[in-house]
Amino acid sequence: MAARRKGPRRRRARGRKARRDALSRRAGAGLAVVLVLALFWSAVWPYVIGIAVAATLGGLGWWMWRTDRIVRGRDREWRRQDATAAAHRSLAEVDTMSGTEFEDFVAALCRRDGCREVRRVGGSGDQGADVVGRLPDGRAMVVQCKRYTPSAVVASREVRDLLGSKVHFGADVAVFVTTTRFSGQAMDVVTRNGIVAVNRDLLGAWNSGASLPALMGLDGTGEGDARHRARRRTTYGRKRRRPGRPLRDGPDVSGLAR
């Protein structure tokens, strides 16, 4: 037992001795450097000062680089969190927006997908357009935004108004974004004229990360089959026509629901 206890003690003692020897060697080397500098200071002082200045500048540069990396990293993290929050924004929240807020929301989605020169033009004298800009491939686009109640439908005359806006602004692509669905006649106008129709379901996909160019590839489809439309009516109900009572921020198109 005594022999066993001596083994670890000896190892600890050897470790302490090795550390003392290393410290002694470092101290001796430091003392030698000091003596050399003292003896030859008149010859070496420019080099010493140059090394000190270079070390100081190098340390300052490293600190600035490190600080820049930290700031950029925090900025990227903030942008990532902001994009994640925007992607998880529910359509129920979109339904509570005003017409102007919805237009700004659509414009922000366009910018997120790389569209350029995006600006909101909605208001009096907007010629039926709410947002204009350029797609990532450079084509000019004009966007009509309609934030209606989910149980309403977009009528064909509103889609035809967008065609007039396309001509007025000289746009290559016309996009109609709504929080509801399109009537059958409106979809006929969409498919015949190559309009990008973003209904409620596609708006949800767009908000969740799908790109606008990807939605354009659907070529006017996306209303779903009869079973999907039946589920929609079950979820949002069927709007009855009430003459003289328009939808908020839009005309009375509720009687067009099928």
Side-chain angles (χ1 to χ4, degrees):
M1 293 296 292
R4 290 180 182 178
R5 285 195 294 270
K6 289 181 180 180
R9 291 176 182 174
R10 289 174 181 173
R11 286 193 293 272
R12 288 195 294 270
R14 285 196 295 268
R16 287 193 294 268
K17 184 177 183 300
R19 288 192 292 272
R20 286 196 299 269
D21 292 342
L23 183 61
S24 299
R25 287 193 295 272
R26 294 193 188 101
L31 181 61
V33 170
V34 171
L35 291 175
V36 170
L37 291 176
L39 292 174
F40 301 98
W41 178 250
S42 60
V44 302
W45 72 265
Y47 302 101
V48 174
I49 293 177
I51 293 173
V53 171
T56 302
L57 293 176
L60 180 61
W62 178 86
W63 177 81
M64 293 177 64
W65 173 81
R66 179 65 176 172
T67 302
D68 180 72
R69 287 286 301 272
I70 294 174
V71 171
R72 287 178 180 271
R74 289 175 178 173
D75 181 70
R76 285 194 298 269
E77 179 64 18
W78 175 82
R79 292 180 182 277
R80 186 191 66 78
Q81 293 176 356
D82 185 67
T84 301
H88 287 85
R89 185 188 292 113
S90 68
L91 289 181
E93 292 178 90
V94 176
D95 289 335
T96 63
M97 294 179 179
S98 66
T100 300
E101 289 172 338
F102 182 60
E103 293 166 6
D104 289 332
F105 167 67
V106 172
L109 290 178
C110 292
R111 296 188 188 96
R112 183 203 68 186
D113 292 342
C115 298
R116 305 187 303 274
E117 302 175 24
V118 178
R119 59 188 178 92
R120 189 176 64 82
V121 296
S124 59
D126 61 6
Q127 301 297 326
D130 296 312
V131 176
V132 295
R134 289 191 175 276
L135 292 165
D137 59 12
R139 288 181 294 170
M141 68 172 182
V142 59
V143 185
Q144 178 67 276
C145 307
K146 292 297 183 184
R147 203 251 331 118
Y148 290 156
T149 58
S151 57
V153 292
V154 175
S156 59
R157 65 178 178 274
E158 297 179 277
V159 180
R160 285 193 292 268
D161 289 342
L162 179 58
L163 294 176
S165 301
K166 180 181 178 183
V167 174
H168 175 80
F169 286 95
D172 302 303
V173 178
V175 184
F176 201 115
V177 184
T178 183
T179 54
T180 183
R181 66 183 183 89
F182 295 86
S183 69
Q185 292 178 340
M187 287 304 299
D188 290 339
V189 177
V190 164
T191 54
R192 285 199 308 269
N193 295 278
I195 295 174
V196 180
V198 181
N199 61 19
R200 186 177 184 85
D201 294 335
L202 298 183
L203 177 60
W206 191 14
N207 179 52
S208 297
S211 67
L212 180 58
L215 298 179
M216 293 171 60
L218 295 176
D219 210 15
T221 60
E223 285 294 315
D225 56 15
R227 183 179 301 175
H228 181 80
R229 291 193 295 271
R231 285 199 299 268
R232 177 190 293 274
R233 287 193 294 270
T234 301
T235 302
Y236 300 116
R238 186 190 298 271
K239 193 78 173 182
R240 295 184 179 181
R241 182 177 177 83
R242 295 182 181 179
R245 185 173 182 179
L247 291 171
R248 186 174 57 175
D249 293 332
D252 183 11
V253 296
S254 58
L256 297 172
R258 290 189 289 181

